[in-house]
Amino acid sequence: MIKVFGHKSPDTDSTGSPIIWAWYLTEVKGTPATPVLLGEPNTEAAFVLKHWDLPKPAIIADVAAGEDCVVVDTNNPAELPSSINDANVIQIIDHHLLAGGLKTKGPIDVTIRPLACTATIMFDLMGADAAKMPEKIKGAMLSCILSDTLEFRSPTTTPHDRAVAEKLAGELGVSIADYAAELFAAKSDVSAFSDAELLRMDSKEYNVAGKELRVSVLETTAPKVVLDRKDSLMASMVDVAKEDGADQVLLFVVDILKEEATLLVPNDLVKQMAEASFGASVSGDTVVLPGIMSRKKQIIPALKL
C-alpha cells in the first residue's frame, strides 16, 4: 500500500492533495494507496474534511525503510518524516522551489510546476480521468485551490489555477465567494490554540544568512484576534525556537481582505531582517508590509540580513 502525504503542519493543500492523489492511484490507476498526514490538520483543513464528508487520514510520525511513498506539496526533507530517505519515494508532485536533500532508491516520477496549488497540478496530471472524480474529491480539490490562492488574491495565483477552480465550482454548483468566506472563517478561528501551536501551525524551516528560521504565516480575515496576543506570542517565540533548534521564529499575520502582512518584531534581529528584506522602517514591535501575502513568492525570496 502506497502512502501519500504532504508536509508537516498540514494545511488544506497538504491535507486535501494526499486524499485526491490516493483516490486517483487507487480508483483510476488500480494501485492501492492511502492518504496520511504528518500532524493534525489546521482549522481550515478540518473544516474541509467535515464539509465534504471526507474521513481524516491517519497521522503518522515516520515511515518505514523501503516503504512506498508519494510526496506531495513539498520536496523539502525538513518538512518530511525523519526516515524519508530510507523509504522508497516513487513520486513527487509539488509547486515549491526545489529544496534538494531527498535521496531515492531509483529513478522516480517528479512533477514540480509553477502553479499556486498542488491540486491544480493533479488536475492536469489526471487529464481526461479528472472527469471521474466524485463530488467529494472535486470539493477537496476546489478547497485546496481556493485556500492556496486566497481566493485568487495571492500573487502565486495563475490564470490556470483560477480556471480549474471555476470549472470545479461550476460542476459542484458552489459559489466561490461564499465557499471561500466559509474557508477563511474556519482558518481564522484560532481561539482554541496555544501560542506555541499558532507559531507552528503554518510554518516552515529555512536557513537565511546562516540563521535557522521558523517562518510562520497566519492567514486570517480577523488579524486583530491574533495581534491582540502579540505580547504572549513574542514571548513564546523564545521557547519554540529553542525546542525546534531555530535561531528565531518569524510570524507574519496575513490579512486576507486588506492584502497585507503584519510582522511581529520581538528583537533587533527581526528588526534588522525586516528592514533589510522589505525596505521597511521599524519603530515598534510590529510592522505592516503592504501587498505581502505569499511566503513562497514574496517572503522567503526576500529574506536577508
Side-chain angles (χ1 to χ4, degrees), residues 37-278:
L37 302 177
L38 303 185
E40 283 290 341
N42 69 12
T43 52
E44 183 187 70
F47 166 82
V48 169
L49 294 176
K50 184 176 180 180
H51 184 89
W52 295 104
D53 192 26
L54 291 162
K56 185 175 82 170
I59 296 173
I60 63 170
D62 208 348
V63 289
E67 187 169 29
D68 288 346
C69 301
V70 172
V71 172
V72 303
D73 197 31
T74 186
N75 66 85
N76 186 349
E79 299 173 1
L80 291 166
S82 58
S83 300
I84 191 64
N85 282 339
D86 297 323
N88 183 32
V89 178
I90 59 177
Q91 187 175 28
I92 297 171
I93 306 171
D94 191 18
H95 65 125
H96 295 92
L97 59 80
L98 185 63
L102 279 178
K103 183 178 180 182
T104 61
K105 305 297 184 185
I108 69 168
D109 183 354
V110 178
T111 305
I112 301 176
R113 295 180 182 170
L115 294 169
C117 182
T118 308
T120 308
I121 301 171
M122 291 178 173
F123 179 87
D124 294 346
L125 292 177
M126 289 182 192
D129 289 328
K132 300 177 182 178
M133 287 189 291
E135 183 174 279
K136 61 176 59 179
I137 298 298
K138 289 182 180 179
M141 184 174 280
L142 174 63
S143 304
C144 292
I145 298 171
L146 292 179
S147 175
D148 265 11
T149 65
L150 297 177
E151 195 191 356
F152 317 131
R153 294 176 176 88
S154 172
T156 62
T157 307
T158 70
H160 186 51
D161 291 292
R162 184 168 194 143
V164 172
E166 290 174 345
K167 174 180 172 61
L168 293 167
E171 293 173 357
L172 291 165
V174 168
S175 160
I176 284 178
D178 291 346
Y179 182 56
E182 290 186 80
L183 284 177
F184 301 152
K187 188 197 295 275
S188 302
D189 182 11
V190 296
S191 56
F193 295 94
S194 69
D195 293 333
E197 288 171 329
L198 284 183
L199 293 173
R200 294 186 173 104
M201 183 179 292
D202 185 358
S203 65
K204 298 190 177 184
E205 299 169 24
Y206 294 94
N207 185 292
V208 175
K211 297 291 184 182
E212 292 294 336
L213 303 177
R214 177 171 288 283
V215 183
S216 303
V217 172
L218 286 177
E219 298 162 339
T220 178
T221 54
K224 186 176 185 300
V225 173
V226 180
L227 295 174
D228 281 348
R229 296 170 59 174
K230 67 180 173 66
D231 290 343
S232 60
L233 282 165
M234 288 190 293
S236 296
M237 287 178 179
V238 178
D239 289 336
V240 169
K242 184 176 180 180
E243 291 168 12
D244 295 357
D247 294 299
Q248 182 63 52
V249 177
L250 301 182
L251 176 61
F252 295 81
V253 182
V254 173
D255 186 326
I256 297 171
L257 301 180
K258 286 188 176 181
E259 301 186 19
E260 64 185 22
T262 298
L263 171 64
L264 272 59
V265 185
N267 54 40
D268 286 341
L269 173 64
V270 179
K271 180 177 185 291
Q272 180 184 347
M273 187 166 285
E275 293 179 340
S277 305
F278 304 104

